[in-house]
Amino acid sequence: MLPVFLVSNKPFTGKNLIALGLALNLKERGYKVSYMKLIGKFPYRKDNQIIDEEAYFIHSMLESQEPAEYCSPFVWTYQVQYKLFEGEDLKMEEKIFEIINNQKDKDILFIISGDTFFEGYSLGIDSLSIIKKLKTKTLVIQTWEGETSIDDILGIKDLASDNFLGAVLNKVPSEQYFYLKETVVPFLINKGVKVFGVFKKDKFLESVTVRRLLEIVNGGIVCGEDKLDEFVENYLVGAMDPGQALSYFLRVHNKAVITGVHRTDIQILAMETSTKCLILTGGLHADENIVNIAKSKGIPIIVTSLDTFSVVDRIQNIMGKAILKEKDKALKFKEILAKEFDIEGFLKELNL
Amino acid sequence: MSKESIEAIIDKLPATCSLYNPVDIIGDATSERYKIVLEQAIKDKYVDGICVILTPQAITDVENVATEIVRVSQNTEKPIFACFIGGKKVSSAIKILKSQQIPCYSDPSVAISSYKKLIDFSIIKNKKEPEIPKIEIPLENKEKVRLILEILENAGVSSVGEENATEILSLYGFNFPKKALAKTPEEAVEIAEKIGYPVVLKVSSPNILHKTDVGGVKLNLKNAEEVYNAFIDITINVKRFMPNAYIKGVMVYEMITDGKEVILGVSYDATFGHMLMFGLGGIYVEVLKDVSFRIAPLTKGEAYEMIEEIKGAKILEGVRGEPPYDKENIVDKILRLSQLVTDFPIIKEIDINPYVVKHQGGVALDARMIIGKL
């Protein structure tokens, strides 16, 4: 069994999505694949066990028969934190070695690192320790945020030395895609870095569901309960004059419109454009006429007692930083990866 | 007018006159008739004030009537005012009245409502200054509150969290449910066993003001297993919704099961200063805005008025056969709040929501405070 370590030095670079896309493609080719997220941050309770929600989703997508804790050996919770500071030895290394040993029948095990190279150091499971101890093949997943983005790749290449596999550039703004392909990738190859794939920023993959918005604003759903799994790609605040609102709303698609519960003028205009849901702030009683229009158009209305600013603040924190838990996204990315990722080259590097 | 007065003037006036209130000396009256009635009215102990209404006819000697009113008014303490309707025809008479400080109106309804205000004013003026009850707070408690506020003020805190607010209010005689902080699920169970079931678990974190919004509250936990699980669920929820919040632990509270939820509060108004607020809790305050206000410091009577004034006051009297709730306790707590903000004006806002009033006594479940310079 070959462990492949997906690392990054920033959160939300797409390690889990790429691991899942790769795993699904390889599974289709007949490989036995498994997955493990070293440090979970989205605690989720499953049959009296606390595991990472995203890891568990990937575990289910891969239809793994192994125990759920194999995909998520460690999750940051208040209890773990408490035990750690009380000086308790959490024996993480032993646990991870045991899980790896129990999966010897697999061809590839994708291991996902913490958010940065040093995350997990106190537990002995930071990226550098794992590379050293497990001698895992290391693949850097890097989001493109300008030219300095290459530094993390070149740095980890030196640190991983013989175990360095290559890099993937993710979330590349579409206008810079060819620049990367024609200039940055050749530069990296010249420096000895294999680039297996360059992925454009994708609105759909960064979207969140109406259900997630409902959860994050701690709201109530007034209508459109059957549309909770629709994807919201953008959000707009409806605080302007109704005269200007329409042209503003027309420009943005698949959006959530956040506005005060009493701004019925804005609510009507929003529903005339591509709107996936209305989030009404500052009260729990939506206007009856608005609800009727929303029902007939199939647009969910979320009401929340939070003010507009707090709602925007909360949504801003999750947009593009959502954890992966939607099947539609996973399947779409599987297709994208099949096209954009050099699977043959990847397998060749691994001697598979 | 009294029977004696009527008898004294009846023969001096035409038979068509009406001598009952209002006295009508009919259209052709001259200043002589006005004089007869006015002189009698000021002598009559049943007459407290006089409003003379005049609409001139061809024979009316308006100036003489005005002069007569002025003359009579000089012989009495009773308020006399006039209402002369007739534009130019009465303008010279009005001048006479005004020069002698006799109020004159052109609309009887305005005249009468002005008179009503005069009566109201005299009632308020004669009211005895109500006594502000002094709530006895031990000196050492006051000193402790002063210290807490001083520390908060020096630290630049304006929004006082539940912990400090609870402590300050406890020192001023408020009851809170029994509680203790648990660091582990095992500790939570141990505390719950001591307090007695059912209990409530709430996350303790200075970063989380609205605990229910992040899944940080679990109610009505009836046994060790439920408490253990609730502890884990709460810490997981908070980690999911507010991963960066500092969690001190989970507070285990005694669960208050009966009683009515009310709201007690203080707000600060730039014109009126501290204002006490009272209302029924839950939907009553949010939807119906059924609350009452009074300016601090207030009297016991005013505190009672606050309770009686809200539309839902009857609920506290006990409906459908239940015994009444302890209004005396609410009054006591309103007065204590009044005393607290009078002693420490730096406290700008207090929100005790909910305060659970029982058939006897009451318990505050949650409290927040805002402090700041005047």
Side-chain angles (χ1 to χ4, degrees):
Chain A
M1 186 262 290
L2 197 63
V4 173
F5 195 30
L6 277 70
V7 300
S8 74
N9 204 16
K10 277 197 187 78
F12 300 105
T13 56
K15 299 183 290 292
N16 290 285
L17 186 65
I18 289 169
L20 177 60
L22 255 174
L24 286 172
N25 275 290
L26 293 177
K27 205 175 160 220
E28 216 168 64
R29 295 180 180 215
Y31 290 97
K32 283 187 235 156
V33 288
S34 194
Y35 159 94
M36 183 206 285
K37 187 182 198 176
L38 281 181
I39 302 170
K41 287 189 177 163
F42 302 94
Y44 173 71
R45 219 167 163 196
K46 172 87 187 147
D47 307 330
N48 263 342
Q49 249 183 348
I50 298 167
I51 48 176
D52 181 79
E53 194 177 2
E54 187 174 42
Y56 182 67
F57 168 76
I58 294 176
H59 177 84
S60 323
M61 281 300 288
L62 294 175
E63 295 167 337
S64 293
Q65 301 304 315
E66 283 74 29
E69 66 163 333
Y70 278 21
C71 72
S72 173
F74 174 81
V75 188
W76 270 119
T77 59
Y78 170 78
Q79 277 97 290
V80 169
Q81 222 164 286
Y82 182 76
K83 284 180 190 166
L84 182 71
F85 293 130
E86 288 287 297
E88 197 173 308
D89 182 4
L90 299 172
K91 300 194 170 134
M92 282 316 301
E93 276 180 62
E94 285 97 319
K95 197 173 173 186
I96 284 162
F97 275 105
E98 195 191 318
I99 293 173
I100 293 173
N101 280 331
N102 287 344
Q103 299 191 80
K104 287 223 159 103
D105 60 320
K106 304 284 181 207
D107 296 316
I108 299 182
L109 167 66
F110 289 106
I111 304 174
I112 310 298
S113 77
D115 285 341
T116 64
F117 294 158
F118 290 110
E119 195 171 289
Y121 194 88
S122 56
L123 303 158
I125 54 172
D126 59 292
S127 300
L128 300 179
S129 305
I130 292 287
I131 295 170
K132 220 189 306 173
K133 287 177 203 155
L134 293 176
K135 306 224 175 310
T136 52
K137 291 287 175 195
T138 303
L139 179 66
V140 184
I141 312 296
Q142 182 69 22
T143 46
W144 185 254
E145 285 160 20
E147 283 63 23
T148 52
S149 299
I150 57 170
D151 295 337
D152 285 339
I153 300 174
L154 296 172
I156 204 80
K157 178 185 171 286
D158 274 357
L159 292 170
S161 65
D162 292 346
N163 294 312
F164 185 72
L165 195 59
V168 171
L169 293 167
N170 195 18
K171 299 191 185 180
V172 177
S174 49
E175 68 278 7
Q176 293 185 49
Y177 180 73
F178 288 108
Y179 162 62
L180 257 75
K181 280 277 208 185
E182 288 158 12
T183 311
V184 180
V185 172
F187 170 81
L188 286 171
I189 290 172
N190 202 24
K191 292 271 176 196
V193 176
K194 291 197 175 59
V195 179
F196 292 103
V198 179
F199 295 96
K200 284 185 198 165
K201 207 176 172 89
D202 187 306
K203 278 268 178 200
F204 174 70
L205 293 175
E206 298 208 331
S207 65
V208 292
T209 56
V210 176
R211 190 185 299 282
R212 179 81 179 121
L213 291 178
L214 176 68
E215 192 183 62
I216 206 75
V217 302
N218 190 42
I221 183 92
V222 179
C223 63
E225 291 86 344
D226 54 329
K227 304 273 181 177
L228 288 179
D229 293 315
E230 295 272 315
F231 291 97
V232 175
E233 294 176 7
N234 300 290
Y235 66 93
L236 285 182
V237 176
M240 72 294 284
D241 194 74
Q244 286 134 23
L246 191 62
S247 60
Y248 178 66
F249 287 155
L250 280 169
R251 267 180 261 150
V252 184
H253 298 276
N254 298 328
K255 63 188 172 294
V257 173
I258 306 152
T259 191
V261 72
H262 301 299
R263 290 298 304 270
T264 48
D265 48 351
I266 292 288
Q267 292 159 24
I268 290 173
L269 287 171
M271 286 193 285
E272 289 302 317
T273 64
S274 167
T275 294
K276 288 286 183 181
C277 84
L278 287 182
I279 301 177
L280 309 185
T281 60
L284 299 174
H285 302 277
D287 184 273
E288 208 176 310
N289 295 322
I290 296 289
V291 176
N292 287 335
I293 300 172
K295 275 184 186 165
S296 69
K297 288 183 180 281
I299 297 173
I301 294 184
I302 294 172
V303 285
T304 170
S305 53
L306 294 175
D307 59 278
T308 303
F309 174 76
S310 309
V311 168
V312 172
D313 191 43
R314 288 190 184 190
I315 293 180
Q316 218 161 22
N317 280 327
I318 59 154
M319 275 292 193
K321 294 177 193 159
I323 58 163
L324 177 64
K325 53 178 185 180
E326 295 97 6
K327 206 174 164 182
D328 294 2
K329 282 189 190 173
L331 294 178
K332 184 181 173 189
F333 189 71
K334 182 192 160 210
E335 299 305 318
I336 296 176
L337 187 125
K339 276 187 226 149
E340 303 284 335
F341 191 91
D342 178 12
I343 297 179
E344 303 303 330
F346 179 73
L347 288 171
K348 205 174 134 200
E349 278 298 312
L350 296 174
N351 297 321
L352 284 170
Chain B
M1 280 209 287
S2 65
K3 198 176 158 211
E4 291 76 33
S5 292
I6 293 171
E7 277 167 4
I9 59 174
I10 194 161
D11 294 334
K12 299 175 187 163
L13 297 169
T16 47
C17 289
S18 164
L19 296 178
Y20 303 95
N21 200 11
V23 177
D24 180 4
I25 51 173
I26 60 174
D28 62 347
T30 57
S31 57
E32 188 53 30
R33 271 190 221 163
Y34 282 91
K35 182 183 163 195
I36 293 165
V37 178
L38 285 170
E39 278 182 344
Q40 189 58 42
I42 60 166
K43 281 190 266 172
D44 192 329
K45 64 176 176 177
Y46 293 107
V47 174
D48 294 317
I50 303 157
C51 175
V52 184
I53 301 175
L54 176 144
T55 47
Q57 297 195 3
I59 49 163
T60 314
D61 48 343
V62 283
E63 277 98 357
N64 289 344
V65 174
T67 315
E68 212 45 65
I69 292 171
V70 170
R71 192 186 57 75
V72 171
S73 76
Q74 282 158 354
N75 299 328
T76 180
E77 289 284 297
K78 293 178 184 177
I80 299 181
F81 52 110
C83 176
F84 281 21
I85 310 158
K88 275 186 186 166
K89 281 191 181 169
V90 294
S91 59
S92 55
I94 290 172
K95 239 180 225 164
I96 297 171
L97 290 168
K98 288 203 169 162
S99 69
Q100 298 301 312
Q101 278 83 41
I102 306 281
C104 184
Y105 301 85
S106 55
D107 180 341
S109 66
V110 178
I112 298 304
S113 68
S114 303
Y115 189 43
K116 165 80 169 62
K117 292 279 180 282
L118 188 66
I119 295 169
D120 289 346
F121 175 71
S122 73
I123 290 172
I124 294 167
K125 209 177 156 203
N126 292 332
K127 214 175 178 179
K128 253 180 95 184
E129 187 73 19
E131 209 166 297
I132 304 291
K134 189 92 185 131
I135 302 281
E136 287 305 326
I137 306 289
L139 262 180
E140 68 260 35
N141 285 14
K142 274 191 189 178
E143 186 53 26
K144 278 182 195 162
V145 173
R146 196 189 61 75
L147 269 173
I148 297 170
L149 290 171
E150 197 177 280
I151 292 168
L152 290 169
E153 198 191 352
N154 289 340
V157 172
S158 69
S159 182
V160 181
E162 188 188 347
E163 210 168 295
N164 283 320
T166 305
E167 199 182 343
I168 292 170
L169 290 166
S170 299
L171 290 166
Y172 264 70
F174 278 79
N175 295 325
F176 286 88
K178 281 180 252 167
K179 64 168 184 184
L181 184 74
K183 291 271 191 189
T184 63
E186 292 80 11
E187 253 180 55
V189 171
E190 208 175 290
I191 294 165
E193 301 274 337
K194 254 186 233 161
I195 288 177
Y197 296 104
V199 292
V200 173
L201 260 61
K202 274 191 207 177
V203 64
S204 173
S205 163
N207 306 120
I208 306 170
L209 275 184
H210 301 284
K211 298 182 176 78
T212 2
D213 288 1
V214 292
V217 181
K218 296 269 174 191
L219 304 170
N220 203 14
L221 305 165
K222 296 192 191 86
N223 53 49
E225 196 191 340
E226 283 184 12
V227 170
Y228 192 96
N229 284 330
F231 186 99
I232 292 173
D233 286 341
I234 285 176
T235 49
I236 285 181
N237 289 342
V238 172
K239 209 73 190 163
R240 283 168 64 95
F241 288 109
M242 290 184 78
N244 299 326
Y246 158 54
I247 304 174
K248 275 190 190 170
V250 174
M251 199 61 95
V252 183
Y253 291 88
E254 158 194 15
M255 170 121 178
I256 306 297
T257 45
D258 55 347
K260 272 275 169 273
E261 287 192 0
V262 298
I263 288 181
L264 299 174
V266 176
S267 57
Y268 186 81
D269 182 276
T271 313
F272 298 111
H274 286 100
M275 315 243 293
L276 274 296
M277 192 265 274
F278 167 76
L280 290 180
I283 57 158
Y284 298 100
V285 69
E286 273 171 33
V287 182
L288 305 175
K289 310 253 183 279
D290 190 11
V291 288
S292 55
F293 290 93
R294 286 292 181 285
I295 298 168
L298 44 79
T299 65
K300 204 167 179 174
E302 283 176 312
Y304 266 110
E305 277 171 25
M306 285 178 76
I307 301 173
E308 301 302 338
E309 195 175 288
I310 60 163
K311 295 182 201 86
K314 276 224 153 22
I315 293 172
L316 293 173
E317 278 161 25
V319 283
R320 295 189 177 167
E322 60 176 357
Y325 293 92
D326 193 348
K327 284 189 195 169
E328 185 69 33
N329 179 271
I330 303 175
V331 167
D332 175 61
K333 295 300 176 271
I334 292 174
L335 294 175
R336 280 174 190 277
L337 281 183
S338 167
Q339 185 72 48
L340 175 61
V341 291
T342 311
D343 292 346
F344 299 99
I346 189 169
I347 301 175
K348 286 284 160 313
E349 279 181 35
I350 304 176
D351 192 14
I352 304 174
N353 184 12
Y355 182 83
V356 174
V357 56
K358 300 187 169 199
H359 300 303
Q360 203 169 9
V363 188
L365 297 195
D366 204 352
R368 286 194 296 153
M369 244 179 227
I370 290 178
I371 57 170
K373 285 248 178 302
L374 286 171

